[in-house]
Every structure is written in structure tokens, then in C-alpha cells.
């Protein structure tokens, strides 16, 4: 791997991935939506291209010459997709197809499409393996499933080497404070109330962003064309349990927690079986307790990043 194009690389996970590639030449292409922030790339050696993965003309100029393209570019917040789905379909489905077509025309040897456990819907007990059917329940999940399916189609139809990763809920530094962990931490640090959806019993599987990036890198190196790989987390918690840990980490009490009406169509539980990636040598390394402590410390020490 010598030249890597990271689309959506100014966002939370893409910028961590770009930062982890200290041994290669990196291009970041990002539209800089509300979620993209160039300060996320401070200290990362890269060439930056401001642009949209739906722009075929731009991609025809930028994509050629890269040995690996990893697609993080997406609208990523479920609540925003419920308020307005169109941009999600445009970027997550059509944008993925436009990028794949550019990669096909440029003869890019390897593409990784970064996706989510949310494409499967909700599971009460047990875990999904990669053969589970996609049954998305939110516009966000449906748009990501669309991107995954077109990636698979490019692998089958054109023989393109594109692999798909599906991961659980990420946490870590530089996550936009609309997702539950940075939203709660930044509000608790300010002494403000936090909104807990419904009965707080929704279960998520948490993974540190660095572990997710290591899994993606392994799939880039060893993943087979058209195959899906799960990257599971290290801590399965209800939102109520997570809230308790965040209150403790921020030195606050339950009186700052406000129960609010549940999200429409809120998936109850996600759970991934990642034996397939483990067979390639993957292990999540960061224990949740340590990762959460470090993350809370990062938000406490980097108020400038989120308090603007
Ligand atoms: N955050 C999670 O917990 C999680 C879990 C599993 C999978 N994922 C997937 O990982 C990827 C990255 O997620 P994230 O949390 O870093 O998201 P994010 O919202 O922090 O970042 C997304 C980035 O994509 C850019 N972008 C949006 N539309 C674009 C377009 N049309 N063209 C170019 N750039 C565009 C944004 O400017 C931003 O920098 C997404 O594909 C998401 O579906 C996220």
C-alpha cells in the first residue's frame, strides 16, 4: 500500500484512519459538511481535496494513481436522517456508486467500503454473522445498505476488488457532539442536562475508533473481493448503563439526566459476530473502561474543539 485515498477523511473515523497511515502517501477528499473539520487532520501528512464523492468529474481527476481507496464519506447521524433522508440517499448510496465507478475506470486495485451494523436492523438475542440479511429500519441504515449492495454488485459484475466492513458504535476523540458519548460528555462537562431516549434500554456494542481503524486496515490488506467483514466492539451496554459510566467519569449525578420520548423506529439492539475477521488475525485491543476514561479526558482538555 503506497498511495491511499481516504474519502470523508476530515470526519471522526476517517481522520483517525488517515492519522494511522503514517507510512504511506495519503490523499483526503472531503466535502466538509457540518461533520467535517480540517483541524481533525492537524499533524497528519496528507494532501487535501475539498470535494464531493457525488462529483464524477472531480473523482476522475483525483482517484487515478491510488492503490487503495477507503470510503468513509457519509451522512452519519440517524436522527438527521429521520428529519430529512434525501442527503443520506445522495451521499451514502449514489455517492458510493459514483466513487466505485471512478475506481473502476481508474483501475484502483483495492477499495474498502466502510459500513455499519445498523444495516441489519435490530436483534434481541444472539449476533449477526456476515450472511444475515440486511433489514434496515432507519433512512440512515437504508442508505448505507444501498451503498453496501452496490459495492457488492461492482465486485460481482466487474470483478472489482472491493470489500465491505460493518462496525458497531464507535467512540473516541474528535467525534462530533451529536452522537451520544460526545453529546453527553460535553454537556456534563458544562453542567447541563442530557437527554436519555425512552426507557434507556437500547443496547449498543462500543468500539474504540482506533480498533475500528485497525480492522479496516486488515481488511484492506487481506479482505477478499465482494466480502463483508464485521468489526465488533468490546462492551455491550444499554444506554442507561452507558449514561451511568459517563456520569461517573464526569463527576455528575442522575439529576442531570432527562428522560425524553424515544427516537422513531429506535433499534433495540445491535450485535456482531466478528469471527471472520478474527480468523484473519484481528483483535480489538482497547478495553472500554480505559478507552472511555481517555476519551472523557480528551474532551475535558480540548474544549476549543467542541465549545465553538
Ligand atoms: N460513527 C460510528 O459509530 C460508525 C459506526 C459504523 C460505521 N460508521 C461509518 O463510518 C463512516 C464514517 O463515520 P463518522 O462517524 O466518521 O462520520 P462523520 O459524520 O464524523 O464524518 C463523515 C465525513 O464525511 C464527509 N462527507 C459527507 N458527505 C460527503 C460527500 N458527499 N462527499 C465527501 N465527503 C462527505 C463529512 O464532511 C465528514 O467529514 C461512515 O460511512 C459511517 O456510516 C460509523
Amino acid at each position: 500500500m503506497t498511495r491511499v485515498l481516504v474519502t470523508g477523511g476530515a470526519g471522526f473515523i476517517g481522520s483517525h484512519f488517515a492519522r494511522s497511515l503514517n507510512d504511506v502517501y495519503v490523499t483526503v477528499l472531503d466535502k466538509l459538511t457540518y461533520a467535517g473539520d480540517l483541524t481533525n487532520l492537524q499533524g497528519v501528512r496528507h494532501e487535501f481535496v475539498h470535494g464531493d464523492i457525488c462529483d464524477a468529474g472531480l473523482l476522475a481527476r483525483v482517484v487515478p494513481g491510488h492503490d487503495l481507496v477507503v470510503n468513509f464519506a457519509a451522512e452519519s447521524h440517524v436522527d438527521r436522517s429521520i428529519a430529512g433522508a434525501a442527503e443520506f440517499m445522495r451521499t451514502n448510496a449514489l455517492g458510493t456508486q459514483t466513487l466505485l465507478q471512478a475506481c473502476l475506470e481508474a483501475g484502483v486495485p483495492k477499495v474498502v467500503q466502510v459500513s455499519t451494523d445498523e444495516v441489519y436492523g435490530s436483534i434481541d438475542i444472539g449476533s449477526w454473522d456476515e450472511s444475515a440479511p440486511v433489514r434496515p429500519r432507519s433512512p440512515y441504515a437504508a442508505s448505507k445498505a444501498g451503498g453496501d449492495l452496490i459495492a457488492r454488485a461492482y465486485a460481482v459484475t466487474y470483478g472489482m476488488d472491493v470489500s465491505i466492513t460493518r462496525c458497531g458504535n464507535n467512540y473516541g476523540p474528535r467525534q462530533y457532539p451529536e452522537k451520544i458519548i460526545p453529546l453527553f460528555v460535553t454537556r456534563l462537562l458544562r453542567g447541563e442536562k442530557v437527554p436519555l431516549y425512552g426507557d434507556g434500554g437500547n443496547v449498543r456494542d462500543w468500539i474504540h475508533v482506533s480498533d475500528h481503524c485497525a480492522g479496516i486496515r486488515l481488511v484492506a490488506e487481506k479482505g477478499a473481493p465482494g466480502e463483508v467483514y464485521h468489526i465488533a466492539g468490546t462492551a455491550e451496554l444499554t444506554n442507561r448503563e452507558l449514561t451511568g459510566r459517563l456520569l461517573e467519569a464526569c463527576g455528575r449525578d442522575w439529576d442531570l439526566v432527562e428522560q425524553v420520548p424515544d427516537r422513531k423506529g429506535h433499534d433495540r439492539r445491535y450485535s456482531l459476530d466478528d469471527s471472520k475477521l478474527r480468523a484473519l488475525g484481528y483483535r480489538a485491543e482497547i478495553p472500554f473502561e480505559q478507552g472511555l476514561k481517555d476519551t472523557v479526558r480528551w474532551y475535558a482538555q480540548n474544549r476549543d474543539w467542541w465549545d465553538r
Side-chain angles (χ1 to χ4, degrees):
M1 186 197 309
T2 52
R3 265 182 95 98
V4 182
L5 173 61
V6 183
T7 55
F12 166 49
I13 307 172
S15 63
H16 278 272
F17 186 76
R19 194 172 293 276
S20 73
L21 298 174
N22 43 22
D23 47 346
V24 296
Y25 187 89
V26 178
T27 308
V28 171
L29 183 147
D30 198 294
K31 188 178 170 184
L32 297 179
T33 68
Y34 75 95
D37 186 341
L38 282 178
T39 67
N40 290 345
L41 289 164
Q42 260 166 17
V44 178
R45 208 156 43 90
H46 71 287
E47 183 187 330
F48 184 75
V49 180
H50 185 197
D52 190 330
I53 57 162
C54 298
D55 182 344
L58 174 72
L59 294 178
R61 294 193 296 280
V62 173
V63 170
H66 291 91
D67 309 302
L68 169 68
V69 174
V70 185
N71 182 29
F72 294 90
E75 289 294 334
S76 68
H77 190 43
V78 176
D79 288 338
R80 286 180 191 259
S81 81
I82 294 168
E87 198 54 30
F88 285 73
M89 299 303 155
R90 201 184 84 87
T91 289
N92 301 0
L94 185 60
T96 299
Q97 184 273 326
T98 310
L99 180 63
L100 288 164
Q101 183 62 30
C103 292
L104 180 67
E105 286 168 11
V108 173
K110 180 80 198 181
V111 179
V112 179
Q113 164 68 5
V114 177
S115 190
T116 167
D117 55 5
E118 302 195 26
V119 298
Y120 295 115
S122 187
I123 189 168
D124 288 336
I125 47 166
S127 304
W128 295 293
D129 68 18
E130 287 83 353
S131 67
V134 291
R135 289 193 175 126
R137 290 161 37 94
S138 72
Y140 163 67
S143 66
K144 290 297 294 182
D148 292 10
L149 295 179
I150 196 72
R152 181 183 144 76
Y154 267 69
V156 175
T157 306
Y158 305 110
M160 212 171 140
D161 189 347
V162 46
S163 303
I164 299 146
T165 61
R166 293 187 180 140
C167 186
N169 278 43
N170 283 226
Y171 70 97
R174 301 183 199 88
Q175 185 171 30
Y176 191 81
E178 62 184 353
K179 311 276 166 60
I180 184 168
I181 289 184
L183 176 73
F184 278 27
V185 170
T186 53
R187 288 202 178 179
L188 292 172
L189 289 173
R190 287 202 199 100
E192 294 172 1
K193 286 198 182 283
V194 294
L196 184 62
Y197 274 139
D199 65 358
N202 302 70
V203 176
R204 298 294 182 261
D205 185 23
W206 291 97
I207 181 168
H208 192 275
V209 62
S210 303
D211 281 330
H212 184 189
C213 290
I216 292 168
R217 186 144 184 181
L218 186 60
V219 170
E221 285 160 9
K222 296 189 178 167
E227 291 290 314
V228 174
Y229 295 88
H230 289 169
I231 307 174
T234 55
E236 188 172 316
L237 296 172
T238 65
N239 285 344
R240 180 167 287 281
E241 287 166 337
L242 175 67
T243 303
R245 308 259 183 120
L246 294 173
L247 289 170
E248 198 184 319
C250 296
R252 304 287 186 186
D253 295 319
W254 280 94
D255 55 5
L256 283 183
V257 181
E258 205 168 30
Q259 220 148 340
V260 297
D262 209 353
R263 168 189 280 167
K264 285 185 186 133
H266 203 172
D267 293 337
R268 194 66 179 171
R269 178 174 174 266
Y270 306 125
S271 179
L272 294 175
D273 174 345
D274 67 354
S275 321
K276 188 168 162 184
L277 192 58
R278 283 170 181 270
L280 295 183
Y282 175 74
R283 295 282 175 280
E285 304 265 327
I286 303 179
F288 185 71
E289 290 65 27
Q290 188 58 48
L292 192 69
K293 215 170 108 193
D294 293 347
T295 300
V296 171
R297 190 181 319 114
W298 187 87
Y299 282 96
Q301 290 175 348
N302 290 276
R303 245 189 136 102
D304 285 0
W305 185 87
W306 53 268
D307 207 4
R308 25 178 165 130

